Amino acid sequence: MLHYGDVPTVDTSTWTFSVSGLVEHPFSLTWADLLALPRKTVECDIHCVTTWSRLDNTFEGVPVQALLERAGLKPAAQFCLVVAEQGFTTNLPLSDLNRPENLIAFNWAGEPLTPEHGGPARLLVPHLYFWKSAKWVRGFELLDEDLPGFWEQNGYHMRGDPWKEERYGGRGLTQHEINKFRNASKKIVV
């Protein structure tokens, strides 16, 4: 699996996952908390922006919808900035995040995710290009506007629908433009 930078070493004894921003009940989970939640198995295909696909995958994890329900979304919440290790982010419209097949996945093909594949936990959003399924995921920041994540700041499409071939969205952003987006939400952890 492709990624930018080094594969991080993630210590599950200190790992946390948080949901914050435009929610009624912000919360943070430890690794043990996450593993104690009800699990779901999803069979899906995955599609990489580099034009390869892998069919018939089996992922297991915690349904994203259960986490969003626990947080209690405020009506103004329309977008999510997904936060991961090493300051990586990706953006998703809430309509793409809040779907039954999406997981915080920790198993693939019956085995724990390896670090190279995003372990201990990665987001799974199978209907979009796989860069939207952030590896080493650490949280969701619910927002009222769409803020570009790492790859989107560097010229990738803001949505990433493989059936529409939404790979690239134009030029990358300047550092000034990136700072403007980051300053729009003082809560974003990058």
Side-chain angles (χ1 to χ4, degrees):
M1 293 285 181
L2 300 174
H3 55 270
Y4 181 83
D6 296 328
V7 174
T9 300
V10 179
D11 181 356
T12 56
S13 71
T14 59
W15 181 94
T16 58
F17 180 87
S18 63
V19 179
S20 62
L22 295 173
V23 296
E24 297 292 339
H25 312 287
F27 66 89
S28 184
L29 299 171
T30 66
W31 182 247
D33 294 336
L34 181 75
L35 294 180
L37 293 175
R39 299 177 184 193
K40 181 176 182 175
T41 300
V42 170
E43 303 280 335
C44 65
D45 301 334
I46 56 176
H47 308 283
C48 182
V49 71
T50 61
T51 70
W52 62 262
S53 295
R54 181 174 171 89
L55 308 179
D56 303 323
N57 296 276
T58 303
F59 287 92
E60 180 186 9
V62 173
V64 166
Q65 285 186 322
L67 299 173
L68 296 176
E69 183 178 314
R70 177 178 177 165
L73 299 173
K74 291 184 177 181
Q78 297 299 312
F79 298 94
C80 180
L81 194 65
V82 179
V83 179
E85 291 287 337
Q86 301 176 326
F88 179 80
T89 56
T90 193
N91 64 311
L92 289 165
L94 189 56
S95 59
D96 283 318
L97 180 65
N98 193 7
R99 294 172 61 133
E101 68 273 17
N102 296 348
L103 303 174
I104 301 299
F106 40 80
N107 286 339
W108 175 74
E111 298 292 327
L113 284 172
T114 63
E116 294 79 16
H117 292 273
R122 77 173 303 146
L123 178 60
L124 176 68
V125 182
H127 72 283
L128 296 178
Y129 278 122
F130 216 43
W131 92 81
K132 295 293 187 173
S133 295
K135 294 179 180 182
W136 315 296
V137 68
R138 297 297 298 268
F140 297 153
E141 172 87 17
L142 281 297
L143 305 167
D144 60 357
E145 64 180 311
D146 199 6
L147 298 181
F150 175 82
W151 287 112
E152 297 81 15
Q153 292 170 13
N154 288 285
Y156 279 55
H157 198 277
M158 288 290 280
R159 181 151 185 264
D161 184 335
W163 307 114
K164 296 179 181 177
E165 295 192 20
E166 294 175 338
R167 288 182 174 88
Y168 308 106
R171 69 171 180 80
L173 300 178
T174 66
Q175 189 61 50
H176 176 75
E177 291 167 322
I178 292 167
N179 291 341
K180 179 181 171 187
F181 282 114
R182 284 191 179 143
N183 290 334
S185 173
K186 300 294 183 192
K187 298 177 191 171
I188 297 172
V189 178
V190 289

